[in-house]
């Protein structure tokens, strides 16, 4: 009996303090044949691992890296990987670029090592972007790496190299394919168009099966280009395909961009339930609060310049984010239960540009010291304050204290980092701070009571002398729930 109640309390603490708000109820009940397959987050080991990654790397690489945002002396101001769609880019010229694709400096092991040093836990690689060029030797088209001077299977090289560094790989796949004659964005009308679109669907299915067969260690498929009406109207077929792919690759992780529901609704079905395993709507944007997230898993994919995914040689065209801002995004994502995925666009020779290398180094140096506040961490029930973000690690069954990580971006002028202690569900209990210290070197920090407000909320000040570095730093609080009378003794001890 006692054991049961301990287990129930632990489960409650993990769910409540972890801020995981499971999506337990449907917001409407419209009958759907192709709606969400599941209500609420996945609970299997693969998804749990995904949830703990914290930091990912996106790589956009393809033949668009050769022009790098330029053609015939003119600059394309759009996203470099879209250059084929530019009126000043002759299509036959673009479609023949693959004959020059020979990235002589490409070293998959070096990319993987750099990612590892940056603290990346998973990587998403564009197997095929909208232009249709395949970085793997697909047997279903000639427009692949096999027919370039480079010849070798780049996806295999990358999967092997990243896996060897302990980094999981997700395969990005664009449904848009400008190279396939059957591809179209609007729904087919004539019989001829319909037949041609059927061929395209079969081709897409074949390629997806081929990818999962060729790269069995891939953990997921990251779909893109699924906004076309032609694709949206294939809800039943795509649903069947998703089921097939999941059956052939147990644990496969697919986000909300793959399929629409019966009514053409994307990401969330007509009942408001998530389509897929995690919300893929956070592209170059981030949520501000947990309430916006419907209790679902999510990733944020982010570019370093404003909107360049593939290699564009001229980064002066837009604002370029600084490591400090990117680190803040990593922490913010973790504080809201999301993974942050930073994009890299290597050049046509296989070089990662120096600016990206520098950013990777700076993020890596920070993650090495502070990664404990990111990996495996969750949203904290402690109310966000102006100095930065909380993340937390829930108490484990060993009875270890619950850890609150405070990543401080705005150092208070008086060096007092103020925290507001959350109230316990059990009225007879209070949360106490047992210990406070810098994560970097474990220097103990003094905690002083800072009184109560008129609502009875309790505050503490953590005396945090100006940090040794100018980068954000982490304070760890070891906290515990105790009975109210125990707290009084404790408080005398620390004030
Ligand atoms: O059009 C693409 C774009 O080029 C890039 O691949 C991004 C990455 O999320 N996805 C599409 C826009 O949503």
């Amino acid at each position: 009996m006692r054991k049961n109640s301990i287990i129930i309390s632990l489960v409650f603490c993990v769910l409540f303090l972890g801020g995981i708000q499971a999506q337990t109820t449907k917001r409407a009940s419209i009958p759907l044949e192709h709606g969400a397959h599941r209500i609420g987050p996945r609970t299997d080991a693969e998804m749990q691992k995904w949830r703990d990654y914290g930091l990912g790397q996106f790589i956009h690489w393809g033949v668009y890296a050769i022009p790098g945002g330029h053609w015939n002396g003119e600059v394309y101001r759009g996203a470099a990987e879209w250059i084929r769609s530019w009126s000043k880019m002759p299509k036959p010229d673009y479609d023949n670029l693959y004959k020059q694709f020979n990235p002589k400096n490409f070293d998959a092991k070096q990319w993987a090592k750099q990612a590892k040093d940056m603290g990346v836990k998973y990587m998403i690689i564009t197997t095929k972007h909208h232009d249709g060029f395949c970085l793997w030797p697909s047997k279903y088209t000639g427009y692949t790496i096999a027919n370039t001077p480079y010849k070798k299977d780049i996806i295999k090289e990358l999967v092997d190299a990243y896996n060897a560094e302990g980094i999981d790989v997700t395969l990005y796949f664009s449904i848009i394919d400008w190279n396939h004659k059957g591809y179209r964005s609007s729904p087919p009308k004539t019989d001829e168009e319909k037949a041609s679109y059927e061929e395209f669907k079969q081709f897409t299915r074949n390629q997806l099966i081929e990818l999962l067969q060729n790269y069995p260690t891939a953990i997921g498929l990251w779909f893109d280009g699924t906004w076309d009406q032609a694709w949206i109207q294939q809800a039943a077929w795509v649903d069947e395909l998703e089921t097939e792919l999941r059956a052939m690759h147990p644990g496969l992780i697919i986000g909300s961009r793959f399929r629409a529901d019966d009514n053409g609704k994307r990401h969330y079905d007509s009942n408001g339930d998530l389509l897929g395993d995690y919300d893929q709507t956070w592209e170059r944007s981030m949520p501000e609060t947990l309430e916006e997230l419907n209790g679902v898993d999510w990733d944020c994919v982010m570019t370093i310049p404003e909107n360049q995914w593939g290699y564009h040689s001229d980064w002066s065209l837009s604002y370029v984010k600084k490591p400090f801002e990117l680190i803040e995004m990593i922490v913010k994502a973790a504080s809201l239960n999301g993974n942050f995925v930073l994009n890299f666009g290597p050049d046509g020779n296989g070089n990662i540009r120096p600016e990206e290398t520098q950013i990777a180094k700076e993020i890596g140096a920070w993650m090495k010291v502070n990664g404990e506040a990111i990996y495996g961490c969750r949203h904290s029930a402690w109310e966000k304050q102006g100095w930065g973000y909380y993340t937390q690690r829930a108490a484990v069954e060993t009875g270890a204290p619950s850890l609150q990580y405070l990543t401080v971006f705005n150092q208070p002028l008086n060096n007092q980092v103020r925290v507001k202690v959350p109230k316990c569900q059990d009225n007879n209990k209070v949360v106490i701070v047992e210990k406070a210290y810098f994560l970097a070197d474990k220097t103990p920090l003094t905690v002083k009571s800072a009184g109560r407000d008129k609502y009875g909320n309790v505050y503490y000040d953590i005396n945090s002398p100006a940090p040794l570095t100018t980068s954000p730093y982490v304070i760890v609080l070891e906290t515990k729930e105790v009975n109210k009378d125990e707290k009084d003794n404790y408080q005398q001890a620390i004030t």
Side-chain angles (χ1 to χ4, degrees):
M1 178 63 196
R2 187 150 176 273
K3 196 174 166 205
N4 278 352
S5 61
I6 291 173
I7 290 170
I8 290 167
S9 321
L10 278 169
V11 169
F12 177 77
C13 283
V14 168
L15 288 178
F16 175 69
L17 294 175
I20 296 167
Q21 297 173 347
Q23 194 184 352
T24 47
T25 48
K26 287 194 171 206
R27 287 188 282 283
S29 52
I30 298 164
L32 293 172
E33 278 184 50
H34 307 293
H37 289 175
R38 187 195 57 252
I39 312 297
R42 258 171 69 170
T43 53
D44 54 282
E46 286 84 0
M47 198 66 202
Q48 185 53 40
K49 189 176 184 205
W50 186 95
R51 210 167 268 142
D52 287 348
Y53 287 144
L55 180 61
Q57 178 188 37
F58 211 151
I59 298 181
H60 274 69
W61 203 31
V63 292
Y64 42 79
I66 298 173
H70 299 260
W71 197 251
N72 278 338
E74 291 206 59
V75 181
Y76 174 54
R77 301 182 87 88
E81 70 282 1
W82 275 78
I83 196 168
R84 188 185 182 278
S85 66
W86 184 30
S87 56
K88 294 183 177 168
M89 179 82 226
K91 307 294 172 261
D93 286 2
Y94 186 93
D95 293 342
N96 279 301
L97 279 176
Y98 74 103
K99 294 178 184 160
Q100 299 170 37
F101 193 69
N102 194 9
K104 57 182 189 313
N105 298 334
F106 173 54
D107 180 347
K109 288 186 183 151
Q110 195 193 331
W111 288 17
K113 170 82 173 54
Q114 183 182 95
K116 171 90 174 178
D117 291 346
M118 176 176 151
V120 158
K121 299 289 182 192
Y122 75 124
M123 185 275 267
I124 308 169
I125 176 69
T126 49
T127 59
K128 168 174 103 163
H129 203 262
H130 309 335
D131 59 6
F133 177 71
C134 303
L135 280 181
W136 84 100
S138 174
K139 60 183 182 219
Y140 300 104
T141 170
Y143 194 40
T144 81
I145 194 69
N147 293 318
T148 66
Y150 186 74
K151 290 194 173 62
K152 287 177 278 177
D153 180 349
I154 283 182
I155 298 301
K156 178 164 173 29
E157 288 189 77
L158 286 171
V159 171
D160 289 350
Y162 275 72
N163 284 174
E165 290 287 2
I167 300 173
D168 287 334
V169 175
T170 287
L171 305 174
Y172 165 108
F173 185 92
S174 168
I175 295 300
I176 294 177
D177 187 328
W178 296 324
N179 192 258
H180 192 282
K181 66 176 180 14
Y183 163 74
R184 49 187 301 115
S185 57
S186 56
K189 290 193 186 81
T190 64
D191 286 350
E192 200 185 325
E193 285 171 355
K194 284 180 186 157
S196 174
Y197 197 65
E198 284 307 309
E199 269 178 43
F200 169 69
K201 280 163 54 186
Q202 195 49 46
F203 164 74
T204 301
R205 173 178 172 271
N206 288 340
Q207 285 206 319
L208 289 169
I209 291 170
E210 184 180 49
L211 280 172
L212 293 183
Q213 281 168 343
N214 287 7
Y215 313 105
T217 63
I219 57 149
L221 292 168
W222 204 99
F223 288 102
D224 204 0
T226 48
W227 49 79
D228 288 336
Q229 276 307 318
W231 185 258
I232 288 172
Q233 291 195 7
Q234 296 299 323
W237 181 79
V238 186
D239 195 359
E240 202 178 305
L241 177 57
E242 182 179 320
T243 305
E244 183 181 9
L245 297 172
R246 288 186 190 278
M248 69 178 281
H249 197 102
L252 188 69
I253 296 173
I254 297 179
S256 64
R257 282 196 196 197
F258 191 34
R259 63 189 179 89
D261 79 356
D262 317 41
N263 303 317
K265 289 268 287 171
R266 300 179 62 232
H267 299 292
Y268 288 86
D269 70 15
S270 306
N271 291 312
D273 295 318
L274 184 71
L275 289 159
D277 302 323
Y278 62 98
D279 184 337
Q280 266 182 298
T281 56
W282 301 100
E283 174 172 318
R284 295 189 298 118
S285 66
M286 293 194 83
E288 290 299 324
T289 61
L290 201 66
E291 288 65 44
E292 290 165 69
L293 290 161
N294 308 304
V296 300
D297 289 301
W298 61 282
D299 72 355
C300 162
V301 291
M302 186 58 72
T303 49
I304 298 173
E306 264 159 40
N307 185 21
Q308 294 294 343
W309 299 88
Y311 175 73
H312 196 302
S313 67
D314 190 355
W315 266 14
S316 70
L317 297 172
S318 80
Y319 178 73
V320 176
K321 295 172 196 76
K322 312 278 180 301
F324 183 93
E325 292 164 80
L326 296 166
I327 291 169
E328 180 164 0
M329 291 177 187
I330 296 168
V331 181
K332 185 176 182 180
S335 79
L336 294 171
N337 296 328
N339 285 330
F340 183 79
V341 184
L342 188 62
N343 182 70
F344 288 68
D347 72 16
N349 286 322
N351 302 305
I352 294 188
R353 66 195 304 147
E355 300 95 321
E356 288 176 346
T357 296
Q358 184 57 27
I359 285 173
K361 269 193 194 145
E362 290 188 40
I363 292 179
W366 192 86
M367 290 296 285
K368 200 166 176 201
V369 176
N370 302 296
E372 189 188 315
I374 305 295
Y375 306 125
C377 284
R378 296 283 177 272
H379 176 76
S380 162
W382 291 47
E383 189 180 302
K384 182 177 169 358
Q385 307 290 325
W387 42 253
Y389 302 87
Y390 284 105
T391 48
Q392 85 149 28
R393 206 172 286 281
V396 285
E397 283 192 36
T398 56
S402 193
L403 299 178
Q404 298 293 330
Y405 298 97
L406 289 59
T407 307
V408 179
F409 287 86
N410 305 312
Q411 173 70 11
L413 286 176
N414 63 0
N415 289 341
Q416 303 302 309
V417 173
R418 181 156 294 189
V419 298
K420 177 176 170 183
V421 180
K423 286 184 177 157
C424 290
Q425 290 289 302
D426 179 346
N427 235 348
N428 296 315
K429 294 200 166 211
V430 283
V431 176
I432 59 161
V433 176
E434 287 196 302
K435 266 190 207 165
Y437 50 90
F438 284 138
L439 178 59
D441 60 5
K442 309 285 182 277
T443 307
L445 301 173
T446 318
V447 183
K448 277 198 310 192
S449 171
R452 284 168 196 269
D453 62 20
K454 61 181 178 183
Y455 307 105
N457 294 307
V458 173
Y459 294 81
Y460 288 123
D461 276 342
I462 296 142
N463 182 35
S464 174
L468 303 174
T469 70
T470 51
S471 68
Y473 67 96
V474 178
I475 294 172
V476 187
L477 302 185
E478 292 188 4
T479 72
K480 206 170 163 185
E481 284 191 23
V482 295
N483 290 328
K484 274 188 174 153
D485 46 351
E486 282 178 56
K487 184 232 169 190
D488 291 339
N489 297 336
Y490 170 79
Q491 212 169 357
Q492 279 163 21
I494 62 164
T495 48

